[in-house]
Amino acid sequence: MEKMLEVKNLMVFFENALALNDFSMAVERGEIVGVLGSNSAGKTTLMNTISGLILDMKKKEERRGGERISVLGELKFEGEDILNKKPSERVKKGIVLSRERHPIFRDSDVVENLKIAGYLHKRHEVKERIDLTFKLFPHLQGMKKRKAGLMSGGEQQMLAIGIALVAKPRLLLMDEPLLGLSPMLQADLVRAIKNIRLAGITVLVTEQFARTLLPIIDRGYVIENGMLVFEGSRQELFDNPEVKSAYLGI
Amino acid sequence: MSLLIYGTITSIILALYAAGFSLAYGISGLANFAHGALYILTGYSVWTFLNQIGLPYFLSALLSVIIIGFLGFALYWGLLLRVRGVPLAELIVTFAAGIAILELLMWKGFYGIQYSLPLFVRGGVKLGGVAVDYQRLFVIGTGIVLVVLLYLFVHHTKIGLAFRGMAQNERTALSVGIESDWIGSLSLAAGSALAAVAAVVVLPLGVMESAIGYEVLIYALAVAIIGGLESTPGMILGSFIIGFGQVATAKYLGPKWMIIVPLVAIILVLAVRPSGLFGQFKELEERI
Ligand SMILES: Nc1ncnc2c1ncn2[C@@H]1O[C@H](COP(=O)(O)OP(=O)(O)OP(=O)(O)O)[C@@H](O)[C@H]1O
Ligand SMILES: [Mg+2]
């Protein structure tokens, strides 16, 4: 069967530095797939390339006469080549990224944050998606009028995921959603990710440490210095001694 | 009493001058130095529709606002796109466009006292013993209506919400499908249209000349710099500080000193607190 997302021999250069080196991976409909990698491994670069944000960075750098960013390789979503599609076109197709370190709209309240995220969709759809967000994160429902910049890190992370959800993803990209959260909040969030899949959304998620995340992913990829070093099912990841010591801390 | 009333009117006029400039800057970080030129261009556009083509006043004004808004939009796609994100280049491009517009107006022969716009309604009233003409009351009304409309627009329409998203976090806005060039050009269009609205209501108070273009730009800059370049409450407060400063200066030192006020204010603020008097609240306060 045709894969939902297919990445083949992806190379991303920042000037002459290679951030992704011949990276290949795939995601099937309905899966939760993990990408494990330590600091500067290339996780964010991968997410930005799949979501198309990198094209915008590239354009800006070119206008500024700054560093040259090149993206080579193959990127397919449901069989269609999307490597040169704008971020907004990819959102329309259902690829939505929740960026790392929960960058929300700080001066707006919770509801307005979610409304802004509904830019591409009809009013009643946005309302439905906002309801879905509150169902997944009941905690947010109690703080609808709270200014986002004044919320705790955990609350901002929930909101950041809510923002992505309102944009109607079919493939949700999550860049280090657990970063900086307490173990209890991490457990809450992992439960939410499971429910997101139950709502019919495919998930691709990156992390540095996999201990909390591993139980819910179906498959995973390990990335080091922009290169794929290991791939396998949850069990295979769990059984691999190197993965165990580097990403599970066992 | 007259200080209070005329201070308020002057302040609202300044806020009208500055609103469009601050709006575009707040949303897309674009300092439109053609702002003043677009303001005065509006005046001549209304004049032409009214006197050369013979359209009704209201229609002339409406058409002019639309045309100027579209010019802002075209300025973005035609000239700014290539240098977008490079502030100094943006400044040079918009300033050059502004000068081109002003010189073109001069060349076309648009100077001299024969160019002025009629008052909407003649006459006036007494407010607490102070005579105020209807046109100035209209200016106050426009200021208030614009604030309300802008608030509703920005918080309750798709484009308005996209403006807010773009102003706060461009990347996150991008990641939910909001396009920065589209929103940037719309913000410049909205900012230019606001300059045009200001021109339509304020210009009938006096004679038109190209130099007003520079003056309006200086006022918009002064207000924006005092208020901290991207905050609405700051913008309104900035207008009132300069507005009352000017009226007091006119009263105690004489009217010719009025133009000194914004210049002194700019220099003082830049020397003491370059982020603007209200810049430090940037994160906490509502923008737009
Ligand atoms: N804009 C950029 N310009 C130059 N180099 C960059 C840029 N962005 C990323 N890099 C480099 O690309 C490599 C991968 O970075 P990336 O941000 O993708 O890593 P990451 O896995 O997300 O790391 P982290 O865990 O810190 O978020 C790093 O070596 C980084 O220095
Ligand atoms: Mg990262």
Side-chain angles (χ1 to χ4, degrees):
Chain A
M1 209 188 84
E2 166 192 285
K3 305 259 196 299
M4 185 177 216
L5 178 78
E6 223 175 342
V7 176
K8 261 195 206 150
N9 313 110
L10 195 62
M11 311 275 270
V12 175
F13 293 85
F14 292 105
E15 205 70 55
N16 294 320
L18 198 51
L20 283 180
N21 187 354
D22 200 20
F23 191 88
S24 301
M25 65 169 296
V27 178
E28 309 234 19
R29 248 173 234 95
E31 280 187 313
I32 299 181
V33 174
V35 173
L36 304 178
S38 50
N39 268 314
S40 321
K43 304 181 295 296
T44 300
T45 305
L46 177 67
M47 293 307 221
N48 286 345
T49 307
I50 299 174
S51 70
L53 283 192
I54 196 140
L55 294 183
D56 194 74
M57 297 161 70
K58 183 175 144 94
K59 190 170 73 180
K60 293 227 165 75
E61 287 296 334
E62 272 164 16
R63 285 178 189 171
R64 198 178 294 141
E67 59 180 4
R68 211 172 50 243
I69 302 176
S70 342
V71 183
L72 308 166
E74 222 177 276
L75 182 62
K76 279 188 173 162
F77 185 69
E78 303 188 321
E80 186 187 352
D81 175 19
I82 57 164
L83 196 65
N84 294 313
K85 291 239 183 301
K86 287 190 288 191
S88 58
E89 291 173 50
R90 301 192 200 187
V91 174
K92 279 181 203 153
K93 292 186 187 301
I95 306 175
V96 183
L97 167 65
S98 173
R99 292 166 55 223
E100 69 184 332
R101 287 167 225 279
H102 42 76
I104 35 83
F105 303 112
R106 304 182 62 87
D107 298 332
S108 294
D109 63 27
V110 167
V111 171
E112 191 167 88
N113 263 273
L114 298 173
K115 280 189 181 163
I116 293 172
Y119 178 69
L120 286 177
H121 305 290
K122 296 206 177 68
R123 227 162 246 264
H124 70 270
E125 283 177 315
V126 174
K127 205 183 156 303
E128 277 167 27
R129 306 300 292 191
I130 293 179
D131 289 342
L132 171 70
T133 301
F134 287 145
K135 220 169 83 196
L136 286 167
F137 302 108
H139 184 71
L140 284 182
Q141 184 146 30
M143 36 187 12
K144 285 184 180 168
K145 288 280 151 211
R146 181 75 66 82
K147 197 170 270 195
L150 301 177
M151 303 198 307
S152 74
E155 289 157 356
Q156 292 190 15
Q157 183 61 63
M158 294 180 203
L159 181 57
I161 296 171
I163 287 176
L165 286 173
V166 174
K168 264 187 111 183
R170 288 193 296 126
L171 172 62
L172 175 61
L173 311 171
M174 303 171 103
D175 198 0
E176 298 200 53
L178 304 181
L179 187 70
L181 301 189
S182 71
M184 210 177 73
L185 278 174
Q186 292 198 356
D188 281 354
L189 210 64
V190 162
R191 210 168 309 127
I193 296 175
K194 258 161 77 178
N195 288 330
I196 287 172
R197 187 235 301 259
L198 286 179
I201 298 167
T202 307
V203 178
L204 178 62
V205 50
T206 71
E207 268 314 321
Q208 294 203 30
F209 304 103
R211 199 200 285 242
T212 343
L213 192 67
L214 200 63
I216 62 157
I217 66 175
D218 300 306
R219 293 184 305 113
Y221 296 83
V222 178
I223 179 173
E224 275 170 22
N225 291 322
M227 275 186 289
L228 181 64
V229 293
F230 187 83
E231 67 173 288
S233 66
R234 172 177 50 215
Q235 197 55 47
E236 285 164 346
L237 283 166
F238 202 75
D239 292 340
N240 183 295
E242 279 143 40
V243 172
K244 238 176 168 166
S245 70
Y247 302 103
L248 290 167
I250 306 177
Chain B
M1 192 63 194
S2 102
L3 185 74
L4 184 70
I5 289 177
Y6 277 91
T8 305
I9 293 170
T10 308
S11 306
I12 289 179
I13 291 178
L14 293 182
L16 285 172
Y17 286 168
F21 182 85
S22 293
L23 180 91
Y25 188 85
I27 293 164
S28 19
L30 242 172
N32 178 14
F33 274 63
H35 188 75
L38 291 171
Y39 174 93
I40 196 66
L41 179 63
T42 310
Y44 290 113
S45 156
V46 177
W47 188 92
T48 305
F49 280 128
L50 197 60
N51 296 308
Q52 307 287 95
I53 305 181
L55 294 181
Y57 199 1
F58 177 75
L59 197 60
S60 308
L62 184 69
L63 272 178
S64 301
V65 170
I66 293 171
I67 290 172
I68 298 297
F70 187 76
L71 257 179
F73 189 77
L75 180 67
Y76 188 99
W77 291 105
L79 298 178
L80 279 168
L81 194 61
R82 281 159 212 273
V83 297
R84 192 66 183 99
V86 192
L88 186 61
E90 290 173 357
L91 191 154
I92 293 170
V93 166
T94 55
F95 194 58
I99 289 179
I101 291 171
L102 292 179
E103 289 302 318
L104 200 71
L105 286 174
M106 301 276 251
W107 177 71
K108 273 276 172 197
F110 279 121
Y111 52 83
I113 50 161
Q114 71 270 37
Y115 297 105
S116 63
L117 296 178
L119 298 168
F120 296 174
V121 202
R122 294 194 171 278
V125 284
K126 284 216 172 232
L127 290 180
V130 185
V132 183
D133 51 295
Y134 286 129
Q135 188 72 29
R136 286 191 166 76
L137 288 182
F138 206 88
V139 169
I140 298 181
T142 306
I144 295 169
V145 168
L146 271 187
V147 168
V148 174
L149 283 183
L150 269 180
Y151 181 87
L152 291 177
F153 171 70
V154 155
H155 290 270
H156 295 283
T157 66
K158 278 229 142 61
I159 302 281
L161 285 165
F163 276 5
R164 284 207 28 95
M166 205 37 92
Q168 297 180 60
N169 196 322
E170 183 181 359
R171 286 260 172 89
T172 302
L174 273 170
S175 71
V176 295
I178 300 172
E179 284 180 36
S180 42
D181 283 327
W182 174 239
I183 296 301
S185 56
L186 287 184
S187 74
L188 200 59
S192 308
L194 279 177
V197 170
V200 163
V201 294
V202 176
L203 279 177
L205 291 173
V207 170
M208 296 197 285
E209 43 179 336
S210 305
I212 292 177
Y214 294 107
E215 232 169 79
V216 166
L217 178 61
I218 289 173
Y219 284 125
L221 276 175
V223 167
I225 287 172
I226 290 178
L229 269 162
E230 45 205 75
S231 87
T232 307
M235 184 204 89
I236 292 172
L237 260 156
S239 308
F240 275 80
I241 290 173
I242 298 182
F244 275 89
Q246 279 201 306
V247 172
T249 308
K251 189 162 175 193
Y252 299 115
L253 296 179
K256 67 174 172 178
W257 295 100
M258 279 173 76
I259 188 70
I260 295 295
V261 175
L263 300 175
V264 170
I266 291 179
I267 291 167
L268 273 182
V269 170
L270 287 182
V272 178
R273 183 187 267 289
S275 59
L277 289 184
F278 307 96
Q280 78 271 34
F281 296 121
K282 211 170 99 182
E283 285 227 323
L284 295 178
E285 82 205 352
E286 290 270 297
R287 281 185 240 157
I288 297 181

